[in-house]
Amino acid sequence: MKTWKKRTVTTVTLSLACGCLLVACSNNSGNKEGETPATTQKKGNISVTIYDRGNIPQGMGTIDNNRWTKWLNETGPATAKYVPIPRGESVQKLNILFASGNAPDVIEEFDANFRDQLVQQKQIMPVDDLIQKYSTTYKELMQKYPELKKASTKSDGKQYEFGRVQKLTGFQALFIREDWLKKLGLKEPETVEDLFNVAKAFTENDPDGNGQKDTYGIALSGETGSSISTMFQDVSWVVEGGKLVHDWERAKAAVTFKKRLFDAGLADKDFLTDKNGQKALQDWINGKTGIFVGRTVDPLNYSTYYEPLKKNVPSAEVKAIKLPKSPYGRFAVGVNNPVQMTTVVNAKAKDPEAVMKYIDFMASKSTGEMLRYGTPEVDSAKNANGCYAPKDIQQFSKEVSWNNDFQLLLQQIEMEPCASVASQLDASQPMQKDFIELIKQNNEANLSSDVQYAPITYSEHMPALPEDLKVVNTNVSKITDFYSKAVVSGASYSVDQAFTDAKDMWAKSGGAKLEEFYLKWYDEKKDTAFLAKDMWKFIKN
């Protein structure tokens, strides 16, 4: 696999109640210069799903009748009836709607497997002709970003989905307590062995100076444990000899290293019960863990991973570093998905032209800016960077920042440079300035020229499995239980035994059929599928 091209990218995070608040530099008129206002055109009637998270502030109405639904219908080219879909039960609800013949015209859903199911069941329409006949904005976006078409084209060669494009940035970050490194006379780890030795010193040599043995070298639950797997390229499917194959060797190396950390007492002994990583997070922000994986792209990251640590331990110094090298290479901790598919069209939509005009409107820069920043000089104002930022954070959270689920076709990349959250953090505030530097460090770590993306592609862009192989995939996924058991069982259950049991389950559950499917897919589609090499194009200065 080729390596990343080196770039320096700066993204930052601002603590808000919810949603991604970024910044903009242009006006929010809702129409391009020279365009006929949508309100003067004949409007079609369509129905559109909208996630219902129960997060609308008091006094703002309901998810299907509020400030933003009214603005979209008044300003846009179609009159949309919004159909609430409970976020935590979206697939179940949509299945019921399709089965009853009441599914909306436009379905917005993050679950790629469900969208693939709709394709296989012919519940949604190919959109190639729709785009050619009726689109202007989205057609232009596809010309500018041909990966939109590549990512939405299925095995029959037809395009079924609409999506959004954003700049490629470091998503997950390997944080290390730099003040602990300095106190113990250590260098940041460059290799797997270095990582073990640093974690050992952080555990045993009293780095916080309180005279007690109460620190962990490294977390093992949550995203930190997953990133240790990434360090060994333990990502299930890897390319060897030009073929896509299921890996055992890398997985075994990752499990062996985790067991070594656990047996040496360098991580929380109860990490397996920390299902969502919240215990590891608390240990990090309370200054008890030296190496931890967090994030640097979400609006809540600053207030989740950094601000509370500094309040609890004012002397803490944090650095975002590269994943250490393993025998299999050096890999990115984690990057975002630069081309994300979000939207499909019901095969029974009665007015496809109105649907396409609506999608064009929702994908336009001016609509995105209005949804993201609200009305200029009312909700937001230009800051020192020339970008729009909230005039009043609390009022903005109530009026604007909860509307993220109307932004599933927002083209963030078109809103650069003001799409970077960095443009609205205040560098005159020490902690915010520190976090800006952390984000810069993390982008350099994840996108450096000597770093590779470990998987063959982002999970969303892997091929859709037929129904019988979905069952196989679910069954073989249970082999990770053997790995977890090996990590915590000492000499009573070895890594070798775990992999003997795992391979036996893989064989009995039909794993060979999965291998045959993926091998065939890669052989046939490696030149046309959206793969890691396509992600590199979205590294922007």
Side-chain angles (χ1 to χ4, degrees):
M1 189 179 292
K2 296 180 182 178
T3 54
W4 297 100
K5 295 180 180 179
K6 188 172 183 179
R7 295 287 189 273
T8 300
V9 190
T10 304
T11 26
V12 287
T13 324
L14 179 66
S15 172
L16 291 176
C18 61
C20 250
L21 174 64
L22 302 179
V23 291
C25 297
S26 57
N27 71 50
N28 297 279
S29 64
N31 292 283
K32 296 180 181 178
E33 184 177 350
E35 257 186 6
T36 302
T39 51
T40 67
Q41 301 171 2
K42 182 180 178 181
K43 294 189 177 187
N45 294 303
I46 64 172
S47 53
V48 184
T49 66
I50 182 70
Y51 283 136
D52 186 355
R53 301 177 189 265
N55 66 338
I56 298 182
Q58 187 174 2
M60 290 294 103
T62 60
I63 191 63
D64 56 337
N65 184 16
N66 54 69
R67 169 185 175 179
W68 296 106
T69 60
K70 292 173 183 176
W71 182 84
L72 290 167
N73 280 330
E74 290 170 359
T75 311
T79 300
K81 175 187 176 183
Y82 288 93
V83 180
I85 304 293
R87 178 63 185 102
E89 303 172 357
S90 63
V91 170
Q92 298 95 310
K93 176 66 173 179
L94 288 167
N95 271 324
I96 292 170
L97 289 174
F98 273 104
S100 65
N102 294 316
D105 300 313
V106 179
I107 297 95
E108 297 197 311
E109 171 58 47
F110 287 122
D111 192 319
N113 290 326
F114 178 69
R115 298 196 311 268
D116 288 334
Q117 171 190 313
L118 295 179
V119 173
Q120 293 172 11
Q121 296 173 347
K122 301 187 185 304
Q123 300 268 32
I124 59 175
M125 67 171 63
V127 296
D128 309 71
D129 291 342
L130 205 63
I131 294 169
Q132 291 306 313
K133 289 181 181 178
Y134 305 123
S135 176
T136 54
T137 301
Y138 201 83
K139 186 186 295 182
E140 291 171 359
L141 285 167
M142 285 173 51
Q143 291 170 351
K144 191 171 183 179
Y145 308 108
E147 293 78 14
L148 277 169
K149 182 173 183 177
K150 179 179 281 194
S152 65
T153 300
K154 302 303 179 181
S155 59
D156 62 1
K158 297 178 181 178
Q159 187 176 350
Y160 284 89
E161 300 166 320
F162 296 97
R164 57 186 181 182
V165 182
Q166 59 187 333
K167 181 172 64 177
L168 188 70
T169 61
F171 183 72
Q172 294 167 300
L174 181 60
F175 294 135
I176 193 166
R177 284 289 298 273
E178 191 171 27
D179 55 319
W180 288 9
L181 288 174
K182 292 176 181 176
K183 179 176 181 179
L184 301 179
L186 302 169
K187 296 181 179 179
E188 64 184 69
E190 288 288 332
T191 66
V192 169
E193 195 63 25
D194 291 344
L195 183 66
F196 181 87
N197 290 333
V198 169
K200 183 176 176 65
F202 281 179
T203 303
E204 298 177 350
N205 296 347
D206 191 25
D208 60 356
N210 67 354
Q212 302 178 39
K213 190 175 181 180
D214 59 353
T215 55
Y216 299 120
I218 191 170
L220 271 181
S221 60
E223 294 182 39
T224 313
S226 299
S227 296
I228 291 173
S229 296
T230 301
M231 182 169 66
F232 290 91
Q233 203 184 13
D234 172 21
V235 292
S236 295
W237 301 98
V238 298
V239 176
E240 289 186 345
K243 304 292 183 181
L244 190 64
V245 299
H246 182 263
D247 167 73
W248 294 104
E249 179 185 328
R250 293 164 178 79
K252 189 172 184 179
V255 174
T256 300
F257 186 72
K258 290 177 184 179
K259 183 176 181 68
R260 185 182 175 200
L261 291 170
F262 185 86
D263 287 346
L266 309 187
D268 183 1
K269 290 289 186 182
D270 298 320
F271 82 94
L272 283 181
T273 63
D274 185 21
K275 299 297 184 182
N276 59 8
Q278 287 303 301
K279 170 64 164 55
L281 173 61
Q282 290 304 309
D283 288 336
W284 167 254
I285 64 176
N286 287 326
K288 296 303 179 184
T289 300
I291 303 168
F292 176 83
V293 171
R295 298 185 180 186
T296 60
V297 293
D298 189 273
L300 295 177
N301 295 159
Y302 171 72
S303 60
T304 300
Y305 302 112
Y306 191 71
E307 186 180 33
L309 170 64
K310 290 293 288 185
K311 287 182 177 179
N312 291 330
V313 188
S315 62
E317 298 176 14
V318 180
K319 187 174 183 180
I321 64 172
K322 296 179 183 179
L323 268 182
K325 301 173 188 175
S326 76
Y328 305 98
R330 191 163 206 168
F331 304 100
V333 188
V335 297
N336 62 335
N337 182 5
V339 181
Q340 182 184 33
M341 297 294 106
T342 61
T343 306
V344 294
V345 180
N346 192 332
K348 297 180 179 178
K350 294 182 176 63
D351 192 345
E353 181 177 0
V355 165
M356 189 66 248
K357 288 181 177 179
Y358 173 83
I359 289 170
D360 265 8
F361 178 69
M362 298 302 286
S364 70
K365 182 178 179 180
S366 54
T367 299
E369 288 175 343
M370 177 60 83
L371 289 169
R372 189 60 69 102
Y373 321 117
T375 304
E377 309 311 326
V378 175
D379 299 299
S380 56
K382 287 188 176 181
N383 61 15
N385 299 303
C387 298
Y388 281 100
K391 294 186 71 172
D392 179 279
I393 290 290
Q394 290 186 340
Q395 186 64 22
F396 193 91
S397 296
K398 179 179 180 180
E399 291 279 347
V400 182
S401 64
W402 56 267
N403 78 17
N404 271 3
D405 290 318
F406 292 95
Q407 301 177 27
L408 269 62
L409 288 168
L410 182 148
Q411 309 299 319
Q412 180 182 317
I413 200 165
E414 290 291 291
M415 300 163 74
E416 299 291 352
C418 285
S420 167
V421 191
S423 59
Q424 77 176 52
L425 281 184
D426 186 354
S428 69
Q429 300 296 316
M431 282 197 293
Q432 293 186 36
K433 182 179 180 180
D434 289 346
F435 199 72
I436 291 172
E437 180 60 26
L438 276 176
I439 293 163
K440 179 180 178 182
Q441 290 171 357
N442 191 41
N443 282 311
E444 291 173 343
N446 274 288
L447 306 177
S448 177
S449 61
D450 64 339
V451 169
Q452 298 175 327
Y453 185 59
I456 183 68
T457 188
Y458 218 87
S459 58
E460 175 187 324
H461 304 298
M462 290 294 283
L465 292 172
E467 290 302 318
D468 61 326
L469 290 187
K470 287 181 182 178
V471 176
V472 173
N473 196 49
T474 298
N475 290 335
V476 299
S477 68
K478 298 172 185 176
I479 64 177
T480 57
D481 292 343
F482 297 122
Y483 303 163
S484 297
K485 181 180 177 182
V487 170
V488 302
S489 296
S492 66
Y493 188 72
S494 68
V495 173
D496 285 340
Q497 185 61 53
F499 275 81
T500 297
D501 294 342
K503 290 178 180 180
D504 183 57
M505 175 181 279
W506 180 269
K508 291 179 178 178
S509 300
K513 295 179 181 179
L514 275 180
E515 295 180 60
E516 181 182 357
F517 174 84
Y518 282 119
L519 176 64
K520 184 174 185 291
W521 168 76
Y522 186 73
D523 281 347
E524 294 178 353
K525 302 293 184 180
K526 60 185 175 184
D527 295 326
T528 57
F530 185 87
L531 300 179
K533 59 181 171 51
D534 298 299
M535 296 167 64
W536 304 344
K537 301 173 184 177
F538 298 94
I539 302 174
K540 307 287 183 181
N541 285 325

